[in-house]
Amino acid sequence: MGNRRGHGRGDEDPVRDYADSEMEIPRLFALLLIVLEWTRPGLPSPLRPICDLRVLDHFIKEARDAEAAMRVFKEDCSIDVPLMVPLTRVDFGVWEKKNMEEQAREVQTGLWLLNKAFISLRTSISNSALHSHIDASSRNIASIGQVLRSLSIQDYVPTAAGIDLQETWKVSSAPELFQVQVNFLRGKVRLLLANAPVCQQDIS
């Protein structure tokens, strides 16, 4: 039978050990960057544009690490009902024709779908060590929302009825979900942040 050690039993679980020792440093570094942007001296507003893509890079790294952890514990990562997620492919011709608001809404809709998927995933997985990866992903999505607000992008909360199903698909395993998160952050989220007008002004 394989070596199934101490699922959800604290220090005996290698996934929890990894989460505790490796995930906290990148998360703290990312939060430090956010704080530094918000508190840069001599600025009229405490909410400064967060244009440093290293913050996003750390969120991407955490998603990759979570995907690897889920693959190690395949038997604990089954999903009874497939989860709806955003399409991650980018048609650059179509993307560039959209204005900033349309691009932002597409990204916000994708983040909303991912967050709902992570909430559903958490209820279907009993391994508490793996919960740390899922919870971190939910927090990272919330942090990306803060980043978007710092770029003067208006909050947008989609509704289930308003989702364009042609822009979604479904995954049936936890590793697939985290792979979607990685690709979405590397693709549409990065494009949106890199081309935010306030960040371009910061450079000039």
Side-chain angles (χ1 to χ4, degrees):
M1 294 294 300
N3 183 18
R4 300 180 61 186
R5 294 193 301 159
H7 298 322
R9 297 185 61 85
D11 294 338
E12 296 178 4
D13 194 316
V15 176
R16 179 175 294 280
D17 289 343
Y18 181 83
D20 290 343
S21 62
E22 298 293 333
M23 291 178 63
E24 287 304 320
I25 293 175
R27 188 178 304 122
L28 289 173
F29 179 76
L31 291 176
L32 176 61
L33 287 174
I34 292 174
V35 170
L36 289 175
E37 288 290 338
W38 285 352
T39 58
R40 193 181 297 172
L43 297 170
S45 170
L47 186 60
R48 281 288 298 163
I50 303 170
C51 300
D52 193 334
L53 291 179
R54 287 178 296 175
V55 174
L56 181 61
D57 289 338
H58 282 288
F59 294 156
I60 292 170
K61 181 182 183 301
E62 287 196 2
R64 284 175 171 159
D65 291 344
E67 179 193 2
M70 297 293 168
R71 292 191 185 281
V72 170
F73 284 79
K74 293 179 183 178
E75 67 273 20
D76 292 333
C77 299
S78 60
I79 297 176
D80 295 331
V81 179
L83 302 173
M84 183 181 293
V85 295
L87 289 178
T88 58
R89 70 170 184 267
V90 180
D91 184 326
F92 288 98
V94 174
W95 178 264
E96 291 174 356
K97 289 179 181 177
K98 296 180 179 181
N99 60 37
M100 185 69 175
E101 181 180 354
E102 291 171 327
Q103 292 174 351
R105 287 196 169 196
E106 187 168 337
V107 166
Q108 289 165 320
T109 298
L111 294 172
W112 182 80
L113 284 170
L114 285 171
N115 193 50
K116 285 182 65 68
F118 283 124
I119 292 171
S120 297
L121 176 64
R122 199 183 195 285
T123 62
S124 67
I125 289 181
S126 59
N127 188 323
S128 60
L130 296 178
H131 284 173
S132 64
H133 291 283
I134 299 170
D135 293 342
S137 291
S138 293
R139 288 193 298 270
N140 289 348
I141 289 173
S143 295
I144 292 172
Q146 291 281 0
V147 172
L148 296 181
R149 281 189 285 277
S150 82
L151 302 179
S152 300
I153 294 175
Q154 186 175 359
D155 283 339
Y156 172 68
V157 180
T159 61
I163 297 295
D164 182 357
L165 296 181
Q166 293 185 336
E167 294 298 318
T168 69
W169 63 299
K170 292 186 178 182
V171 297
S172 55
S173 72
E176 281 183 292
L177 174 56
F178 281 97
Q179 182 61 58
V180 168
Q181 184 191 20
V182 169
N183 291 339
F184 192 73
L185 296 183
R186 291 178 58 199
K188 294 178 181 178
V189 175
R190 178 175 287 276
L191 283 172
L192 181 66
L193 299 184
N195 294 303
V198 294
C199 293
Q200 302 306 312
Q201 293 168 11
D202 243 18
I203 295 172
S204 60

